[in-house]
């Protein structure tokens, strides 16, 4: 949701800014720009389109300078255009701002500034910030930024470059992420760590409402009253390779293939012979017994991982769990109290609705557990307890390894709760524990099916709609599989509970409509899903089944195509099955010529409502 970068040092800033922006392109890619101080004045280049457009223009007419800021945009206020692109400057280009977030009161500030004679060149909310700083400037740029930001309502991460004190970048973080990278005779600012990995592993993860004055050899942090803040730098463990494609055609494919490792990393040290060890979630038996309800709240893919969590926790522990989409939860006046455990699931840890839901639950005295992939993210900092998904950086907009590791955390939580409920020694829990130990092997085996899936992907080449169906956990999988297909291949896919088709949507089936049927749950549900498949086939549907290896005979009797996962515990089918679904979406999107890593209209890390 917009990526911002800043550089100040001794090297040429443009290349570093451009490189940083490329690492942040997943946050938005409808326009990009940089501004660099050349020793006299600030020069800006900004264009509608991908970062490549900016790079091409810079090749033709390069910028020079050792201090600058950059931005890659996901439009909120004003369509993608050169004028609406960042950086934005004041009238004489002495002040320049890049911004991620939304200024809620920008219209009233804009009107006030227009009355004072300020001229606006864009439709953005950001432009008010730069004119407001100009209006507040009385000889000290930091003071001007402090005063201006006190007037702003909303969420923002800002970096300000100026000609009065060009040896300083001013950065502000309020409800939008910002990190500062510490170098030798140079310092960096970015929305996210991948932009910095090539230059430094030492970073400050800024807390909310923090201001930073960054020069080439110092970083001063304060609060909004200029009280100094002392902070220990955080040592990043991700490598540069984690943020590169490493030979894969797309980040999404690389991240699909990283899942066996991500699963192992997320389980390591937590699933032990002597029980479950979740360092940052110490729940006593007494506290567990007091929990009357668990809420799992998230958005998109993270929500679907939460749905798996509900199925698992309720099945194995009988503790009631409700799932909710965060944008609904926060306005639904939910029933939450001190006996509620609220679980926020968020890869980025910055999703605005998830964060707001979490704050609401905290206000209502719930205990809040965060499941997130980003150390130091807002969700991680504000939760009472954390379980990190150790997926490594996820760059592709379509989430893959984050989902798998979120599901792994759901297994871990289920086992922990079962233990606290005194169920640890039961056969079901022992089987689930064993199954978890083998999940990475099942994941590897699923990856071996790439060639089969490539062939099946051809079936979707000209499809304009399809259905994904399943029951129980298979329905959770159908939801995630259909989201993946929708977002990267632009095919309208509906996920339906297999038994619900006949209550309406079956009317949409015609000769050749594709149905992906998840039937990985052996036993009663398997038989029921097969019946639903037969109903659909009788109306002309073409069915692709995903099932366990041993069910081959029955599946082949009634489906047109099938892909199999290793035989496993029903509850452990999620990871290998989702890998098949992710690969299906990936190859369909490739065959339809879609831009897999940058699907239209989307961006990663949705920091606006
Ligand atoms: C889909 C996808 C999104 C995110 C959702 C939540 O592939 O990536 O649906 O899952 O925007 O994001 P986080 O997990 O960062 O809160």
């Amino acid at each position: 949701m917009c990526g911002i970068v800043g550089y100040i040092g001794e090297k040429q800033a443009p290349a570093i800014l451009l490189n940083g922006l490329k690492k942040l392109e997943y946050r938005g890619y409808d326009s990009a720009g940089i501004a660099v101080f050349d020793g006299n004045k600030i020069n800006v280049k900004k264009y509608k389109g991908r970062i490549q457009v900016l790079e091409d223009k810079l090749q033709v007419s390069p910028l020079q300078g050792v201090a600058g800021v950059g931005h890659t945009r996901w439009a909120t206020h004003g369509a993608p255009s050169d004028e609406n692109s960042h950086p934005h400057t004041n009238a004489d280009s002495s002040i320049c701002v890049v911004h991620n977030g939304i200024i809620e009161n920008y219209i009233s500030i804009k009107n006030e500034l227009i009355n004072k004679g300020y001229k606006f060149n864009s439709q953005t909310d950001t432009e008010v910030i730069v004119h407001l700083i100009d209006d507040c400037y009385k000889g000290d740029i930091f003071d001007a930024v402090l005063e201006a930001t006190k007037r702003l309502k909303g969420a923002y991460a800002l970096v300000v470059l100026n000609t009065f004190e060009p040896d300083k970048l001013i950065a502000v973080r309020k409800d939008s992420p910002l990190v500062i990278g510490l170098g030798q005779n140079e310092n960096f600012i970015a929305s996210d760590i991948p932009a910095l990995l090539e230059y430094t592993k030492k970073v400050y993860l800024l807390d909310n409402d923090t201001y930073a004055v960054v020069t080439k050899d110092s970083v001063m942090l304060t609060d909004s009253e200029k009280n100094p803040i002392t902070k220990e730098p955080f040592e990043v463990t991700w490598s540069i390779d984690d943020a590169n494609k490493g030979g894969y055609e797309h980040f999404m494919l690389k991240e699909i293939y990283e899942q066996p490792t991500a699963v192992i990393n997320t389980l390591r040290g937590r699933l032990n012979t002597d029980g479950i060890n979740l360092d940052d979630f110490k729940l006593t038996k007494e506290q567990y017994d007091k929990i009357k309800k668990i809420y799992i709240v998230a958005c998109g893919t993270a929500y679907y991982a939460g749905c798996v969590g509900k199925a698992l926790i309720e099945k194995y522990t009988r503790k009631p769990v409700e799932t909710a989409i965060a944008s609904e939860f926060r306005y639904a006046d939910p029933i939450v109290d001190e006996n509620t455990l609220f679980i926020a699931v968020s890869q980025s840890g910055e999703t605005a609705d998830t964060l707001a839901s979490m704050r609401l639950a905290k206000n209502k005295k719930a205990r809040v557990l965060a499941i997130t992939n980003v150390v130091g993210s807002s969700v991680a900092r504000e939760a009472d307890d954390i379980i990190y998904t150790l997926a490594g950086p996820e760059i592709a907009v379509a989430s893959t390894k984050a989902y798998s590791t979120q599901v792994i955390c759901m297994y871990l939580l289920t086992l922990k709760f079962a233990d606290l409920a005194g169920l640890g020694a039961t056969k079901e829990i022992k089987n689930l524990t064993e199954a978890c130990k083998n999940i990475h092997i099942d994941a590897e085996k699923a990856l071996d099916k790439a060639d089969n899936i490539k062939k099946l992907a051809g079936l979707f080449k000209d499809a304009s709609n399809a259905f994904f169906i399943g029951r129980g956990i298979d329905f959770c999988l159908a939801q995630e599989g259909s989201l993946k297909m929708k977002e990267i291949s632009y095919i309208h896919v509906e996920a339906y509970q297999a038994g619900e088709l006949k209550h309406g949507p079956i009317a949409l089936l015609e000769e050749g409509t594709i149905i992906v049927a998840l039937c990985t749950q052996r036993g009663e549900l398997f038989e029921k899903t097969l019946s639903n498949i037969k109903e659909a086939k009788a109306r002309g549907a073409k069915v692709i089944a995903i099932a366990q290896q041993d069910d081959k005979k029955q599946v082949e009797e009634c489906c047109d195509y099938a892909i199999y996962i290793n035989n496993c515990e029903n509850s452990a089918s999620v990871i290998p099955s989702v890998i098949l679904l992710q690969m299906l979406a990936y190859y369909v999107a490739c065959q339809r010529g879609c831009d897999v890593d940058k699907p239209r209209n989307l961006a990663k890390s949705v920091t606006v409502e």
Side-chain angles (χ1 to χ4, degrees):
M1 202 86 338
C2 297
I4 62 181
V5 288
Y7 174 78
I8 191 153
E10 294 174 349
K11 298 185 189 127
Q12 280 302 309
I16 295 170
L17 296 172
L18 212 51
N19 200 16
L21 289 182
K22 284 185 193 163
K23 296 288 185 307
L24 297 179
E25 205 169 10
Y26 66 87
R27 301 180 67 86
Y29 33 82
D30 55 45
S31 44
I34 62 168
V36 178
F37 178 69
D38 69 3
N40 269 316
K41 59 183 191 322
I42 292 172
N43 298 304
V44 180
K45 295 237 178 251
K46 52 181 195 166
Y47 304 97
K48 177 183 167 182
R50 299 278 160 93
I51 292 171
Q52 191 60 51
V53 176
L54 171 68
E55 189 168 18
D56 292 346
K57 301 273 188 189
L58 283 167
Q59 290 268 330
V60 179
S61 81
L63 296 183
Q64 300 267 323
V66 294
V69 294
H71 188 273
T72 179
R73 180 168 187 248
W74 186 82
T76 57
H77 296 68
S81 68
D82 291 356
E83 296 72 37
N84 288 335
S85 314
H86 301 213
H88 290 280
T89 53
N90 61 343
D92 64 2
S93 292
S94 54
I95 304 172
C96 170
V97 169
V98 286
H99 164 222
N100 169 30
I102 283 190
I103 306 304
E104 286 162 8
N105 58 340
Y106 83 102
I107 292 180
S108 61
I109 299 176
K110 188 170 177 173
N111 289 336
E112 185 187 316
L113 289 166
I114 287 172
N115 286 337
K116 285 186 173 180
Y118 283 92
K119 298 251 174 316
F120 283 76
N121 298 312
S122 76
Q123 287 91 51
T124 64
D125 51 343
T126 304
E127 203 184 348
V128 302
I129 305 172
V130 72
H131 295 309
L132 191 60
I133 296 173
D134 178 285
D135 191 41
C136 295
Y137 184 71
K138 308 272 177 313
D140 184 308
I141 191 67
F142 184 43
D143 285 347
V145 173
L146 277 171
E147 202 183 321
T149 48
K150 280 185 186 152
R151 299 273 322 274
L152 303 178
K153 291 207 175 86
Y156 48 87
L158 305 174
V159 187
V160 182
L161 171 72
N162 75 103
T163 56
F164 310 114
E165 299 169 64
D167 58 332
K168 281 180 189 155
L169 295 177
I170 314 293
V172 190
R173 184 216 198 281
K174 181 172 180 292
D175 289 333
S176 288
L178 205 60
V179 293
I180 295 184
L182 306 174
Q184 286 285 330
N185 302 322
E186 59 184 356
N187 286 308
F188 309 82
I189 304 169
S191 298
D192 201 357
I193 291 168
L196 309 176
L197 282 177
E198 212 166 311
Y199 311 105
T200 180
K201 298 258 177 102
K202 220 184 221 190
V203 302
Y204 285 133
L205 304 169
L206 295 193
D207 293 322
N208 226 8
D209 295 313
T210 299
Y211 291 71
V213 180
V214 182
T215 70
K216 78 180 173 63
D217 32 42
S218 69
V219 176
M220 181 187 78
L221 304 179
T222 79
D223 64 13
S224 59
E225 301 306 322
K226 273 177 135 175
N227 298 309
I229 294 175
T230 42
K231 202 167 176 51
E232 278 304 305
F234 171 75
E235 211 49 57
V236 181
T237 52
W238 295 344
S239 75
I240 301 173
D241 291 344
D242 289 335
N244 288 330
K245 281 192 207 152
Y248 286 89
E249 198 172 337
H250 295 102
F251 277 112
M252 183 178 175
L253 190 62
K254 176 182 177 238
E255 289 163 7
I256 288 174
Y257 275 86
E258 282 172 345
Q259 288 175 105
T261 309
V263 163
I264 293 173
N265 288 344
T266 306
L267 285 172
R268 185 178 293 127
R270 291 165 166 176
L271 179 67
N272 300 327
T273 38
D274 56 344
I276 301 296
N277 173 20
L278 299 174
D279 272 348
D280 293 325
F281 183 37
K282 299 212 184 307
L283 190 72
T284 62
K285 173 154 179 52
E286 201 189 350
Q287 289 164 337
Y288 173 78
D289 287 341
K290 273 199 189 139
I291 297 170
K292 295 284 169 281
K293 181 158 80 176
I294 299 173
Y295 247 120
I296 307 182
V297 178
C299 303
T301 285
Y303 170 75
Y304 296 135
C307 294
V308 174
K310 170 183 166 74
L312 294 172
I313 296 166
E314 289 193 337
K315 171 176 169 158
Y316 289 96
T317 71
R318 311 306 298 154
K319 196 66 112 177
V321 181
E322 266 195 60
T323 50
I325 293 279
S327 56
E328 291 293 313
F329 177 90
R330 61 186 290 192
Y331 296 113
D333 194 9
I335 302 168
V336 172
D337 60 23
E338 66 278 11
N339 296 322
T340 308
L341 173 66
F342 177 96
I343 305 177
V345 188
S346 175
Q347 186 282 130
S348 61
E350 301 293 347
T351 299
D353 286 318
T354 308
L355 194 53
S357 300
M358 186 176 133
R359 287 176 182 155
L360 177 90
K362 261 195 121 166
N363 278 342
K364 290 180 176 250
K365 307 262 181 308
R367 179 164 176 171
V368 171
L369 164 67
I371 296 180
T372 183
N373 196 37
V374 180
V375 176
S377 58
S378 301
V379 160
R381 276 183 287 108
E382 294 187 30
D384 300 307
D385 311 282
I386 311 169
I387 305 177
Y388 284 113
T389 50
L390 300 171
E394 192 181 64
I395 311 282
V397 168
S399 185
T400 54
K401 59 178 180 169
Y403 172 86
S404 301
T405 51
Q406 285 159 357
V407 169
I408 291 294
C409 291
M410 296 301 167
Y411 289 122
L412 289 168
L413 270 182
T414 304
L415 294 173
K416 167 135 185 141
F417 292 157
D419 210 22
L420 291 167
L423 300 166
T426 61
K427 188 161 166 271
E428 286 73 24
I429 293 300
K430 286 195 165 146
N431 288 346
L432 182 62
T433 309
E434 281 314 302
C436 285
K437 290 182 188 156
N438 289 322
I439 282 182
H440 64 285
I441 300 168
D442 298 342
E444 294 280 6
K445 282 279 175 227
L447 290 168
D448 291 344
K449 308 281 174 176
D451 286 340
N452 305 17
I453 291 174
K454 257 185 231 171
K455 284 186 201 134
L456 290 179
L459 297 170
F460 290 82
K461 196 152 189 329
D462 301 312
S464 51
N465 59 71
F467 286 95
F468 280 40
I469 60 168
R471 287 167 176 263
I473 280 187
D474 277 337
F475 174 60
C476 305
L477 273 162
Q479 288 178 294
E480 173 55 10
S482 90
L483 176 64
K484 226 65 330 163
M485 185 70 89
K486 271 188 262 228
E487 66 183 324
I488 60 168
S489 76
Y490 316 141
I491 298 172
H492 182 203
V493 183
E494 287 281 341
Y496 258 96
Q497 296 86 342
E500 186 66 10
L501 267 192
K502 61 173 102 44
H503 296 284
I506 202 163
L508 293 171
L509 297 187
E510 42 189 44
E511 203 56 41
T513 304
I514 302 174
I515 293 191
V516 176
L518 279 301
C519 24
T520 71
Q521 302 300 292
R522 309 191 74 191
E524 197 191 8
L525 286 188
F526 178 72
E527 302 296 336
K528 302 277 178 208
T529 306
L530 285 195
S531 304
N532 301 136
I533 290 173
K534 286 175 191 157
E535 290 157 10
K537 279 227 38 93
R539 282 146 186 100
K542 228 182 212 132
V543 178
I544 303 172
I546 293 182
Q548 298 205 26
Q549 185 67 38
D550 273 1
D551 291 326
K552 199 167 178 175
K553 190 162 172 300
Q554 271 171 286
V555 166
E556 281 175 6
E557 273 165 14
C558 66
C559 300
D560 300 278
Y561 311 93
I563 329 169
Y564 299 99
I565 57 168
N566 270 4
N567 293 330
C568 60
E569 270 294 306
N570 280 349
S571 302
S573 74
V574 180
I575 307 289
S577 306
V578 84
I579 288 177
L580 301 181
L581 295 171
Q582 294 162 350
M583 287 200 290
L584 185 63
Y586 174 79
Y587 288 116
V588 169
C590 289
Q591 290 184 23
R592 288 165 68 98
C594 303
D595 189 344
V596 173
D597 279 341
K598 299 185 193 76
R600 72 179 176 215
N601 304 337
L602 291 176
K604 209 168 181 70
S605 192
V606 185
T607 50
V608 296
E609 256 197 83

